[in-house]
Amino acid sequence: MKKLVVLLLSIVLLLGIVGCTTTENSSSNSGSGSDESKQEGKKVLKLNNGSEPTSFDPPIGFDSVSWNALNNLMEGMTRLDKDDKPQPAIAKEWELSDDGKTYTFHLREDAKWSNGEPVTAGDFEFAWKRLANPDTASPAAFLAYFIEGAEAFNTGEGSEEDMMVKAVDEKTLEVTLESPVAYFPSLVSNPAFFPVHKETVEANPEWHTEADTYVSNGPFKLTKWEHDSEFVFSKNENYWDAANVKLDEVDWAMIDDTNTEYQMYKTGELHTSDVPADLSEELFNDGKAQVEDQSGTYFYRFNLEMEPFQNENIRKAFAMAVDQQKIVDFVTKNEEKPAHGFVAYGFEDASGGDFREVGGDLVTTDADKAKELLEKGMEEEGYDELPNVTLTYNTSDDHKKIAETLQQMYKEVLGVNVDLANQEWNVFSDEQKQLKLQFSRSSFLADYGDPINFLESFQTGHSMNRTGWSSEEYDRLIQQAKEETDEAKRFELMHEAEALLFEEMPIFPIHFYNQVYLQSGDVTGIVRHPVGYMELKGAAIK
Amino acid sequence: MGLPEQKEPKVQAPDNLFVPLKESLHDAEMIAKPSISYWKDAWLRLSRNKLSMSGLVMLILLIVMAIIGPMITPYSYDHQVLTEGNLPPSLEHWFGTDNLGRDMFTRTWNGARISLFVGFMAATIDFIIGVAYGGFSGYKGGRVDDFMMRIIEILYGLPYLLMVILLMVVMGPGLFTIIIALTVTGWVGMARIVRGQVLQLKNSEHVLASRTFGASASRVIRKNLLPNTMGPIIVQMTLTVPTAIFAEAFLSFLGLGVQAPVASWGVMANDGLSVILSGHWWRLFFPAFFISLTMFAFNVLGDGLQDALDPKLRR
Amino acid sequence: MAKYVLSRLFAMVITLWIIVTITFFLMHAVPGSPFNQERNTSEAVQQNLEAHYHLDEPVFIQYVIYIKSLATLDFGPSIKQSSTSVNEMIGRGFPVSAELGITSLLFAVISGVILGILAALKHNGAIDYIAMTFAVIGISVPNFIMATLLIQQLAVTWEIFPVATWATPLHMILPSIALATGPMAIIARLTRSSMIEVLNQDYILTARAKGMTTFQIVTKHAMRNALLPVITILGTLVAGVLTGSFVIEKIFAIPGMGKYFINGINDRDYPVIMGTTVFYSAFLILMLFIVDIAYGILDPRIKLHKRGN
């Protein structure tokens, strides 16, 4: 029997290591990883890309693991500055026609590819047509639809010639849009609109798969790419603004696991890191975690084709029973801004007001009103008892936490027992699109910097709608906003549309996204845009 | 090395062998001791093994706690107090609270229900299918064995994750789906081990003797082969329990399992992973400790059973 | 023997073909698509993508196309990482996974067998209990917890080893240990149990009576028989460990093959699912075959070429 006690004790001890060590370590300081780079005399920034980039071919790698890095290899007509405003980049200037539809970009004389050849308007024409070409099968092709003739070309109804982008000469590009788009200069900073070196691409379709064949025109060039392991950027001497690029090298690791990433950050093997879920509270309290906005919304979709959510009042009851502030404070603990509208913060209107602030809170937490609305809705539908409600989320710890909290809120506020169900992501995504889910978690991240990008999602039949909601009035408002040239009026139309969306409440928001990260004190100048990708052009390291 | 038990069979075997044969075949089969006395004997030997008995007691305690544990606290397993998240163990919350302020003691024992059930069920079903399949395959040998082994290879080769996702889509979540998912390939390891042992033993004298007297395949497997392969079988069974507990966590990840806010030990251990960094050790420690304890109890019990069931060690 | 090997090889091809066929239709039966994105895309874009990868054809036609290219050992391009072919993925990942796998397997087998034998020799003694406690912990602490603990202790706190990635032999130590503890524990348990049985056999007593030392008995007589159950599980273990562990590779950021199995399925990257399945199955079947051969060699009681009654 003594042996048994000894055995049990040793198990306890071994498992106990878990506990004891964690507390003493959590307070130790963040790494100072610049020692190594100092020794070499080179300014090396060590980042983590998370995983192997999907592709460094601009129209193909339509995700952040590709475009965050690519944004620093290539450069489009414009580049976003610290305040997220488009600044001349490869284009030194541009003009807009009076009808607001035709842009004429004038390229820099000194813009060069990493192989020394000049960047020409022809490269842009080639690249943009390639983006829309159905044979390219670019998942980002819809971004080109702003250009006249691009959608027809992409859907196979039109031809390449009818896509209205044309190199007038070596250094002048003329592009005609379907309708006036005030934010087009900001849009073309998107990696989908990056040029490609025409001769290289035509000579070797596999040019983008290896470092030695890769030709870029941005602040950095790709010097090493060990697939699934790491890649290395070094300063591109041929870049027109090379004088302002302060880093010599950027080493990108591919670490998929946030805990590991954080531990490498602590030992100085990385200069930045994400924040592991359970540590955010502590790191915020210590002032180590930093936050930047990200233009996107975490929200829930009702399915209007399934009971009981065909009823507007029941939808509103479910929306108003939720306390966004509580979720942000106690559940996600990531200092997100609670969302009471759909369009995120950060979009300025003509008079300098923020779209979200002007729009105000369109849904508020109100337990009493929620109960009242639920009763009213049940009466309208003739329910004695509310049909079963199942809340579905795709598997992830973060989504689970929020779902569990919502479940409790509905129980406490409405007295409704909601079932939870989680699904593997791909199954979830399929079922949500096919309107098979009654009530499901959703998210939206903006592809370009304008409120219309958020709001167009809920037009009838739009691929992002996924609620079964349809409103002619709403569709009309969105269409009008897209054609409106007057900025003040355009914003008014969008406010009207958003208000209508919340009038009928096919969705309700939880919080706006943000980017939380840890960064070594030696690093400065990395820009993380709310819409857009990481900027390292101005980054420096002590 | 002088193990005292070793001498017994040497003395005992001649006694059995030299019992005069009766005429009829039926009586010939009676050479085998009546099975009641075999199990009785096994139980007697098991009950004398203190360590194994303590394993048995531990298992019973775990099961009892799984039943009453959630009831002896004033909290329910799913009641959140968001302002009281991540509290360390105290008089109020014996095992602390989790990130949403739920009582870990209640959650742990509520999770024990699922984990223990899943562990037991998986081990039992794997045992039944694995032993039957492996025993038959090994005993028959030849083409039948070849064919049955190819089926096993196919089951091994198919991507499990894919099968499970399809299972989830077709059957929907639930405990029954979990058991199916766990056993659809789980028995294969057991079958291969039993088959290997049977191949090894089927040509030994006592088996030949039994076959000569006309015993059926199932009788030979049950009476002659299985008792002699109990060791590896029991080891395999004890391994199945924790494997099943963790596999259940993985299946929950695919949406197959019991749905949140219920959490099994495996899911709790998974959730608690990043607490290694944050210092909320109780969220990982308690589920991990009880998984280990279950394992430990199964192991010592298994060891005792192995000794008790081995006919060579009979008194 | 030659005839047996030939017939087994033939059976292997058939088995593989069945696996390929089932997997192919299984994966198309599972909901989802390689182009599913939470973000916005348009119908036309989806159709272009499907056409690009021939996913708009009937499944049976796709199957025929796949079998044809498989006959030339061409697994096709990955859909998710469009610039990489599945052959390249396996070519890059397998050596890394195999390196890690062999290291940890050696560690697991050697320490597992030694622990098991020691435990059996000192049955119910102190060593037995210590060894089995190790085994219990090894099995019941899953490798992702083990890995995180190892990093936390040995890499971050003590800074003896690097945290992650795959560069020098030093980088290999922590992941190898993390990957080896589970199999080691299993091997130790199995070895101990069958060793105890074998040590009770008559021929061991005979050997002892002849005056052989314990060491001689174990190495010459007992081990051969005691290791049979270990060999049984080794076949699947080798295939599993050498083709990569998703969790360990993820935690230690090792560029091995493990992630392709899981990510391929999560992304519904059909060519990757098929490629990894074919590769893994072929490897596994080969291992099981070798196990059967090893059985015949280790245990004279089992004859491979004379089958049937």
Side-chain angles (χ1 to χ4, degrees):
Chain A
M1 242 7 231
K2 220 195 241 166
K3 281 171 191 158
L4 179 68
V5 176
V6 175
L7 278 183
L8 284 178
L9 273 179
S10 52
I11 295 184
V12 172
L13 268 177
L14 243 147
L15 288 168
I17 296 174
V18 185
C20 312
T21 56
T22 48
T23 20
E24 73 192 45
N25 275 315
S26 44
S27 55
S28 75
N29 214 334
S30 62
S32 53
S34 58
D35 305 352
E36 209 179 303
S37 45
K38 265 181 195 156
Q39 281 163 11
E40 291 165 21
K42 274 203 296 189
K43 304 266 185 201
V44 181
L45 178 66
K46 285 178 269 181
L47 298 178
N48 177 23
N49 196 49
S51 67
E52 169 85 356
T54 308
S55 175
F56 278 152
D57 190 7
I60 303 299
F62 183 44
D63 47 28
S64 57
V65 286
S66 308
W67 279 3
N68 263 337
L70 183 65
N71 199 31
N72 302 290
L73 279 179
M74 295 273 201
E75 187 162 88
M77 288 295 187
T78 60
R79 187 173 273 281
L80 299 180
D81 65 8
K82 271 195 286 248
D83 307 316
D84 315 315
K85 297 274 178 303
Q87 297 299 334
I90 296 297
K92 64 173 186 277
E93 58 195 2
W94 56 85
E95 293 129 28
L96 180 57
S97 66
D98 290 338
D99 65 354
K101 281 182 166 185
T102 305
Y103 279 86
T104 310
F105 290 97
H106 300 282
L107 275 66
R108 246 171 238 292
E109 291 304 321
D110 54 352
K112 278 187 199 148
W113 290 100
S114 55
N115 60 8
E117 287 184 36
V119 179
T120 67
D123 290 333
F124 275 94
E125 183 192 335
F126 176 74
W128 291 8
K129 285 185 169 167
R130 190 163 166 264
L131 170 67
N133 193 327
D135 295 336
T136 311
S138 163
F142 69 95
L143 289 172
Y145 290 2
F146 290 102
I147 301 169
E148 196 181 328
E151 183 163 6
F153 179 34
N154 187 245
T155 51
E157 283 156 20
S159 68
E160 189 167 351
E161 290 74 45
D162 296 332
M163 181 172 160
M164 297 307 283
V165 52
K166 212 173 112 223
V168 181
D169 59 44
E170 265 292 88
K171 293 286 177 186
T172 314
L173 186 80
E174 202 180 271
V175 52
T176 309
L177 308 181
E178 286 280 351
S179 56
V181 178
Y183 45 89
F184 193 68
S186 145
L187 186 70
V188 291
S189 70
N190 187 295
F193 292 95
F194 284 168
V196 289
H197 188 238
K198 193 177 171 193
E199 284 85 56
T200 307
V201 176
E202 280 174 339
N204 175 17
E206 301 287 297
W207 65 281
H208 55 85
T209 61
E210 301 298 335
D212 12 319
T213 49
Y214 199 86
V215 179
S216 66
N217 72 333
F220 297 93
K221 58 186 179 191
L222 184 63
T223 42
K224 183 178 164 199
W225 189 0
E226 241 179 78
H227 292 279
D228 276 316
S229 179
E230 56 163 347
F231 53 92
V232 175
F233 287 0
S234 47
K235 188 174 172 172
N236 180 5
E237 298 302 337
N238 284 319
Y239 180 54
W240 64 272
D241 200 16
N244 285 319
V245 178
K246 292 162 197 129
L247 294 170
D248 295 308
E249 200 176 292
V250 186
D251 293 354
W252 299 79
M254 301 181 197
I255 290 131
D256 199 8
D257 188 274
T258 311
N259 290 342
T260 307
E261 184 189 21
Y262 172 71
Q263 279 161 323
M264 286 182 77
Y265 168 77
K266 274 177 68 168
T267 57
E269 289 166 74
L270 288 175
H271 284 130
T272 69
S273 163
D274 282 348
V275 176
D278 270 300
L279 279 172
S280 56
E281 199 178 4
E282 188 186 323
L283 289 167
F284 271 116
N285 289 342
D286 296 352
K288 284 177 192 153
Q290 303 179 45
V291 194
E292 256 3 293
D293 274 341
Q294 183 168 20
S295 225
T297 314
Y298 189 108
F299 66 105
Y300 268 82
R301 282 183 169 99
F302 294 115
N303 183 347
L304 275 68
E305 293 179 4
M306 276 176 147
E307 293 199 58
F309 295 123
Q310 80 284 17
N311 184 288
E312 188 181 303
N313 284 321
I314 295 180
R315 293 200 297 271
K316 279 186 175 163
F318 271 74
M320 293 175 89
V322 172
D323 188 341
Q324 280 89 348
Q325 189 68 46
K326 220 170 166 183
I327 292 177
V328 171
D329 288 346
F330 298 111
V331 182
T332 59
K333 295 183 193 167
N334 250 347
E335 306 214 335
E336 292 101 342
K337 292 174 181 156
H340 299 283
F342 188 63
V343 179
Y345 291 91
F347 300 111
E348 227 170 72
D349 60 25
S351 48
D354 187 276
F355 184 92
R356 179 74 277 126
E357 277 157 23
V358 173
D361 289 354
L362 298 173
V363 53
T364 45
T365 311
D366 187 338
D368 298 331
K369 189 83 191 292
K371 255 181 280 183
E372 205 176 289
L373 285 169
L374 180 70
E375 269 166 39
K376 196 173 159 202
M378 283 173 68
E379 211 169 286
E380 283 168 4
E381 298 298 325
Y383 293 142
D384 291 328
E385 214 176 306
L386 196 72
N388 265 348
V389 175
T390 304
L391 180 160
T392 313
Y393 57 97
N394 58 307
T395 311
S396 121
D397 286 349
D398 297 333
H399 302 333
K400 182 162 88 177
K401 277 192 290 196
I402 294 179
E404 285 174 329
T405 313
L406 289 181
Q407 185 188 39
Q408 164 126 338
M409 285 173 174
Y410 288 138
K411 200 185 205 170
E412 280 176 358
V413 175
L414 300 177
V416 172
N417 281 317
V418 173
D419 293 327
L420 301 186
N422 66 315
Q423 286 184 336
E424 188 247 3
W425 188 79
N426 225 315
V427 174
F428 173 83
S429 179
D430 244 30
E431 297 207 336
Q432 191 181 53
K433 280 178 198 164
Q434 292 170 20
L435 296 182
K436 283 185 187 166
L437 304 177
Q438 194 181 9
F439 179 31
S440 57
R441 183 213 78 90
S442 311
S443 72
F444 175 83
L445 285 178
D447 283 312
Y448 51 90
D450 194 85
I452 197 77
N453 188 212
F454 283 77
L455 296 171
E456 67 185 353
S457 302
F458 297 101
Q459 295 174 95
T460 308
H462 192 275
S463 68
M464 273 298 278
N465 184 309
R466 303 175 199 172
T467 57
W469 183 66
S470 166
S471 157
E472 271 174 41
E473 170 74 6
Y474 188 84
D475 296 350
R476 192 179 53 76
L477 287 168
I478 297 296
Q479 221 39 54
Q480 278 178 348
K482 282 191 168 184
E483 276 151 27
E484 182 59 62
T485 39
D486 181 78
E487 274 297 275
K489 270 193 195 147
R490 197 170 72 88
F491 269 70
E492 225 166 83
L493 286 164
M494 292 194 291
H495 278 304
E496 221 175 297
E498 198 191 26
L500 179 62
L501 182 67
F502 281 88
E503 196 100 331
E504 306 208 356
M505 207 77 80
I507 58 153
F508 72 87
I510 302 282
H511 65 70
F512 296 119
Y513 279 102
N514 62 3
Q515 314 176 53
V516 180
Y517 58 95
L518 302 165
Q519 186 165 304
S520 155
D522 296 339
V523 178
T524 54
I526 298 182
V527 182
R528 294 168 173 87
H529 297 293
V531 186
Y533 301 86
M534 199 185 232
E535 292 286 354
L536 303 174
K537 182 182 168 182
I541 191 160
K542 261 185 241 161
Chain B
M1 257 322 288
L3 297 172
E5 301 95 349
Q6 285 170 344
K7 282 158 200 155
E8 252 87 24
K10 293 216 85 183
V11 184
Q12 190 186 8
D15 283 353
N16 274 351
L17 277 177
F18 293 114
V19 170
L21 269 177
K22 303 260 166 64
E23 293 93 90
S24 79
L25 268 174
H26 177 75
D27 286 345
E29 281 178 26
M30 294 309 290
I31 285 176
K33 265 199 172 181
S35 57
I36 308 148
S37 100
Y38 169 67
W39 291 110
K40 215 178 199 173
D41 179 65
W43 169 246
L44 276 175
R45 275 192 281 160
L46 184 66
S47 57
R48 252 177 262 133
N49 187 333
K50 273 187 203 147
L51 198 59
S52 298
M53 286 315 283
S54 65
L56 189 64
V57 171
M58 253 187 261
L59 276 184
I60 293 170
L61 275 180
L62 282 169
I63 293 168
V64 169
M65 280 309 286
I67 296 166
I68 64 161
M71 296 177 215
I72 59 180
T73 58
Y75 312 101
S76 89
Y77 71 93
D78 64 347
H79 185 75
Q80 306 165 6
V81 186
L82 291 179
T83 46
E84 292 178 14
N86 289 325
L87 296 178
S90 64
L91 280 177
E92 231 162 287
H93 296 281
W94 299 330
F95 290 179
T97 63
D98 72 359
N99 54 342
L100 297 178
R102 295 174 291 199
D103 182 56
M104 278 293 287
F105 183 86
T106 320
R107 283 181 74 70
T108 304
W109 294 116
N110 196 64
R113 296 175 177 180
I114 297 131
S115 288
L116 290 175
F117 176 75
V118 164
F120 279 117
M121 282 302 280
T124 314
I125 296 176
D126 284 2
F127 172 80
I128 294 170
I129 304 179
V131 166
Y133 194 96
F136 186 75
S137 176
Y139 182 76
K140 280 284 174 189
R143 288 246 178 84
V144 176
D145 179 43
D146 271 346
F147 181 71
M148 289 175 83
M149 285 303 113
R150 295 301 86 75
I151 291 181
I152 280 190
E153 282 172 7
I154 291 170
L155 271 179
Y156 258 135
L158 291 176
Y160 181 62
L161 184 57
L162 210 55
M163 287 198 271
V164 168
I165 294 173
L166 193 66
L167 198 66
M168 152 78 202
V169 173
V170 174
M171 298 187 53
L175 265 183
F176 183 64
T177 319
I178 287 201
I179 300 291
I180 301 230
L182 284 175
T183 43
V184 71
T185 56
W187 57 273
V188 167
M190 176 71 87
R192 275 186 57 84
I193 288 195
V194 173
R195 174 217 175 228
Q197 292 280 305
V198 169
L199 273 183
Q200 201 185 16
L201 287 169
K202 71 172 181 184
N203 294 323
S204 55
E205 288 81 2
H206 64 282
V207 177
L208 282 176
S210 204
R211 280 160 75 179
T212 320
F213 291 127
S216 68
S218 98
R219 188 183 165 83
V220 173
I221 292 173
R222 274 187 295 119
K223 294 284 170 184
N224 299 89
L225 295 175
L226 275 191
N228 284 299
T229 56
M230 262 322 180
I233 289 177
I234 283 172
V235 172
Q236 182 70 23
M237 266 185 89
T238 55
L239 295 177
T240 309
V241 176
T243 314
I245 290 175
F246 284 115
E248 186 272 329
F250 168 72
L251 296 176
S252 296
F253 194 77
L254 296 176
L256 211 61
V258 286
Q259 292 294 342
V262 180
S264 62
W265 285 345
V267 170
M268 287 162 85
N270 266 334
D271 281 358
L273 190 56
S274 62
V275 306
I276 293 180
L277 304 177
S278 69
H280 306 138
W281 56 270
W282 56 93
R283 288 180 47 205
L284 176 59
F285 176 82
F286 289 107
F289 173 75
F290 286 110
I291 293 172
S292 299
L293 200 67
T294 311
M295 264 296 293
F296 178 78
F298 264 97
N299 270 286
V300 290
L301 182 63
D303 281 352
L305 273 178
Q306 182 188 341
D307 293 348
L309 295 177
D310 192 333
K312 292 186 288 293
L313 303 182
R314 275 175 82 176
R315 281 164 210 267
Chain C
M1 195 67 186
K3 206 178 152 199
Y4 173 74
V5 172
L6 264 181
S7 76
R8 270 301 288 268
L9 283 176
F10 178 71
M12 274 165 69
V13 175
I14 301 289
T15 313
L16 209 55
W17 172 69
I18 295 174
I19 291 174
V20 166
T21 308
I22 298 179
T23 308
F24 194 92
F25 290 100
L26 197 63
M27 96 190 162
H28 281 283
V30 166
S33 132
F35 314 118
N36 254 344
Q37 292 227 13
E38 186 146 23
R39 63 203 299 181
N40 182 30
T41 51
S42 74
E43 282 292 308
V45 166
Q46 292 282 333
Q47 279 163 14
N48 287 338
L49 280 163
E50 280 176 16
H52 190 78
Y53 290 100
H54 302 288
L55 293 178
D56 50 350
E57 313 242 19
V59 176
F60 187 74
I61 304 288
Q62 291 183 46
Y63 172 72
V64 173
I65 296 173
Y66 188 77
I67 290 290
K68 272 187 195 158
S69 75
L70 191 61
T72 61
L73 290 180
D74 177 10
F75 294 137
S78 156
I79 295 177
K80 194 78 186 177
Q81 289 181 26
S82 52
S83 47
T84 317
S85 77
V86 179
N87 292 56
E88 279 169 348
M89 281 182 170
I90 295 173
R92 284 199 303 251
F94 180 62
V96 176
S97 287
E99 202 179 356
L100 171 64
I102 289 168
T103 323
S104 53
L105 212 62
L106 278 179
F107 178 70
V109 170
I110 293 172
S111 51
V113 167
I114 289 176
L115 270 181
I117 290 175
L118 285 179
L121 288 176
K122 306 281 176 214
H123 188 29
N124 287 333
I127 296 181
D128 187 10
Y129 289 122
I130 293 168
M132 285 310 110
T133 308
F134 256 130
V136 169
I137 292 171
I139 299 168
S140 46
V141 176
N143 56 14
F144 61 87
I145 293 182
M146 185 63 81
T148 313
L149 274 179
L150 286 172
I151 294 179
Q152 175 72 17
Q153 285 301 302
L154 299 177
V156 178
T157 310
W158 297 96
E159 298 194 15
I160 304 171
F161 298 104
V163 175
T165 69
W166 193 249
T168 64
L170 204 62
H171 284 85
M172 290 170 60
I173 294 175
L174 292 187
S176 300
I177 295 176
L179 193 55
T181 41
M184 181 197 80
I186 295 175
I187 290 170
R189 289 278 301 147
L190 274 176
T191 309
R192 171 180 176 275
S193 126
S194 60
M195 197 73 182
I196 288 172
E197 276 205 48
V198 169
L199 285 177
N200 288 324
Q201 304 265 339
D202 296 348
Y203 66 92
I204 300 291
L205 285 180
T206 315
R208 195 178 296 282
K210 285 196 306 191
M212 287 174 92
T213 64
T214 307
F215 182 75
Q216 281 173 318
I217 290 174
V218 168
T219 49
K220 287 221 170 115
H221 296 286
M223 226 159 91
R224 223 171 117 140
N225 283 313
L227 288 188
L228 282 177
V230 177
I231 299 221
T232 311
I233 64 151
L234 215 53
T236 46
L237 210 57
V238 169
V241 168
L242 259 57
T243 47
S245 153
F246 174 71
V247 175
I248 295 296
E249 287 178 7
K250 182 174 181 233
I251 293 177
F252 288 98
I254 297 168
M257 247 190 93
K259 64 172 163 295
Y260 300 133
F261 287 93
I262 306 288
N263 291 348
I265 291 174
N266 286 343
D267 298 338
R268 304 292 189 270
D269 195 337
Y270 299 131
V272 175
I273 298 178
M274 290 311 296
T276 50
T277 303
V278 170
F279 183 80
Y280 171 74
S281 306
F283 197 78
L284 177 92
I285 295 172
L286 197 69
M287 283 302 138
L288 294 182
F289 175 52
I290 291 172
V291 165
D292 280 354
I293 300 275
Y295 250 85
I297 294 167
L298 277 172
D299 192 340
R301 284 172 294 181
I302 299 166
K303 296 201 173 62
L304 290 172
H305 47 287
K306 264 199 280 173
R307 286 264 173 110
N309 302 324

